[in-house]
Amino acid sequence: MSTESSLAPFSRRNWLKSLALASLANPKLFASSAAHFAPRAKRIIWLTQAGAPSQLDLFDYKPGLAAQFDKDLPNSVRGEQRLTGMTAGQKRFPIAPSVFKFAQHGQSGMWLSELLPHTSKFADEICLIRSLHTEAINHDPAMTLLQTGHQIGGRPAFGAWVSYGLGSHNADLPAFVALISRPSGPTNAQPLHERMWGSGFLPSKYQGVRMSSGKDPVLFLSNPPGITTERRRAMLDDVAALNQLKLADYHDPETQARIDQYEMAFRMQSAVPDLADLSKEPADIYERYGPESKKPGTYAANCILARRLAERGVRFIQLYHRGWDQHNNLPSGIKSQCHDTDQPTAALLAELKERGMLDDTLVIWGGEFGRTVYSQGVLTRDNHGRDHHPRCYSVWMAGAGVKGGHVHGETDDFSYNIVKDPVHIHDLNATALHLLGLDHTRLTYRFQGRDYRLTDIHGELVKGVLA
């Protein structure tokens, strides 16, 4: 194809005019805000701990369990709960108290594990939810439910709904970015599928863009050898002209999405390399985020990148850290995971606060379900494993509109059942949307004759966590 546009009516100038008209026809295309009401948060950084951290060893202090070591979990507590195939055949369900010490922190006196010395300094900024629950008992459906509101794939991810509902703050970057970090130690790291940041049945322009630590932070972002920026521009103009003809004929929204994505990719070629170049960060930043922060692709490096994305107006940043699935050797495994995540998480909170961004940034930390109080496999005084536990687990929120230094919900003496203020996954998602200024019952998309939403037909606002 010629380096000059072969279709004169669709010159670059006319193309830009068409973009301007498109933005007038569809304000959500480039909207800075289409909220239902005044938002408390402009953006979300979701620190997704894939594999399910043990609430018993981090957040849900149960000192009475020390006297219950190796005793059988009462049937009255376990009830008829569904068990995984990994422990359903055990002859016993011996109670495994946490081997880690807890202490109270901040003016709030929040009980937190010794594994979180850095995060503990932010006890008065954190709203700890100890009563989250889910139906899913295995990783993939549980993570899919957490991200999309349904256990079966095919629906839009949370970030895609936010992108659809609010548009982008930055025309040169996507509204939704996913980052996947590598654990530093040997772990049982569950796979993550692209549907976790997919757009489902929404137009594909709302899907998340995964950034990696490779040569190209976004795959195929660089021009191949022999292709200049001018040649790329001319090619996109010609392709856009052809797509505009098809759009006029068929009015297929996916054709418009393809046009938008090509343009976004072109703009990202300039914006992303600068964004992903962490070498420009001063030395003291690396010191704050810890020893792993200079290694590309680590959780610490991705926390720095998450802050840079937030500064540049990205609305939804999903940072995954895998490896929390500790069915055996939990004490050593969870210690390694906290080594990776505790200091960088606290450094991120500190930076956001210092830069005045925590006031309008919602930070969420947590996984897809919890872990059992009983040991999976052999129990000793210093070692054990824990199986999946969907009935109750802990997550925390901090920042925009959240009640700091507050503990919401309560579990029984075994951290097995919720006894006060249960919060379902749908409730958590409805509350996060609310803080963005979105009513979860009104953020809908019609597909195959039905109005869908992130929370399906469920979800209640958790007013107790709001400031």
Side-chain angles (χ1 to χ4, degrees), residues 15-136:
W15 164 246
L16 291 173
K17 287 181 179 178
S18 71
L19 280 181
L21 291 172
S23 68
L24 291 173
N26 182 8
K28 283 183 180 178
L29 211 56
F30 303 106
S32 61
S33 178
H36 298 135
F37 44 83
R40 298 292 300 273
K42 291 181 178 178
R43 66 194 71 83
I44 290 179
I45 301 176
W46 199 309
L47 304 174
T48 315
Q49 311 304 319
S54 168
Q55 78 282 0
L56 280 155
D57 297 283
L58 298 178
F59 304 112
D60 203 4
Y61 182 42
K62 299 297 178 185
L65 290 179
Q68 301 288 323
F69 175 79
D70 202 27
K71 294 183 180 180
D72 290 331
L73 180 67
N75 290 334
S76 59
V77 173
R78 187 162 55 87
E80 299 298 322
Q81 186 203 357
R82 175 189 175 199
L83 304 177
T84 74
M86 292 170 283
T87 55
Q90 287 189 184
K91 294 181 179 179
R92 296 185 60 222
F93 296 93
I95 292 171
S98 178
V99 300
F100 301 106
K101 297 177 182 178
F102 278 68
Q104 290 180 285
H105 295 272
Q107 293 183 351
S108 61
M110 185 180 293
W111 287 96
L112 294 171
S113 169
E114 65 178 317
L115 292 173
L116 303 172
H118 298 279
T119 303
S120 295
K121 296 174 183 177
F122 289 86
D124 290 335
E125 304 283 350
I126 287 172
C127 177
L128 178 59
I129 301 175
R130 286 186 177 148
S131 55
L132 200 64
H133 63 101
T134 180
E135 292 84 47

Side-chain angles (χ1 to χ4, degrees), residues 314-392:
V314 174
R315 282 198 183 273
F316 196 91
I317 302 152
Q318 193 105 40
L319 199 173
Y320 295 92
H321 187 69
R322 301 185 301 157
W324 294 92
D325 191 25
Q326 285 122 13
H327 291 275
N328 51 39
N329 300 321
L330 181 139
S332 62
I334 198 169
K335 191 174 183 178
S336 175
Q337 289 293 99
C338 289
H339 166 78
D340 286 351
T341 59
D342 176 47
Q343 184 174 347
T345 297
L348 176 61
L349 291 175
E351 275 213 279
L352 292 173
K353 186 174 181 179
E354 289 167 7
R355 295 169 189 238
M357 295 176 63
L358 194 58
D359 290 339
D360 57 14
T361 302
L362 175 64
V363 181
I364 303 175
W365 192 104
E368 67 269 38
F369 43 63
R371 313 302 297 196
T372 57
V373 65
Y374 61 78
S375 175
Q376 177 176 339
V378 177
L379 170 65
T380 67
R381 280 288 178 184
D382 58 2
N383 199 16
H384 58 269
R386 297 193 192 278
D387 200 4
H388 307 167
H389 189 63
R391 276 198 188 181
C392 64

Side-chain angles (χ1 to χ4, degrees), residues 130-153:
R130 286 186 177 148
S131 55
L132 200 64
H133 63 101
T134 180
E135 292 84 47
I137 198 169
N138 289 312
H139 295 287
D140 189 79
M143 187 61 73
T144 306
L145 175 61
L146 176 68
Q147 305 283 268
T148 72
H150 202 271
Q151 293 189 53
I152 299 174

Side-chain angles (χ1 to χ4, degrees), residues 266-337:
F266 183 77
R267 297 193 297 273
M268 285 171 62
Q269 286 186 308
S270 298
V272 168
D274 176 68
L275 162 72
D277 184 6
L278 301 188
S279 67
K280 298 179 182 179
E281 294 288 337
D284 67 295
I285 293 297
Y286 291 112
E287 292 175 5
R288 295 181 73 172
Y289 281 83
E292 299 292 317
S293 59
K294 288 189 175 181
K295 299 178 183 178
T298 61
Y299 180 85
N302 280 338
C303 278
I304 298 175
L305 185 54
R307 186 260 295 158
R308 291 169 68 90
L309 286 163
E311 285 179 315
R312 287 160 174 78
V314 174
R315 282 198 183 273
F316 196 91
I317 302 152
Q318 193 105 40
L319 199 173
Y320 295 92
H321 187 69
R322 301 185 301 157
W324 294 92
D325 191 25
Q326 285 122 13
H327 291 275
N328 51 39
N329 300 321
L330 181 139
S332 62
I334 198 169
K335 191 174 183 178
S336 175
Q337 289 293 99

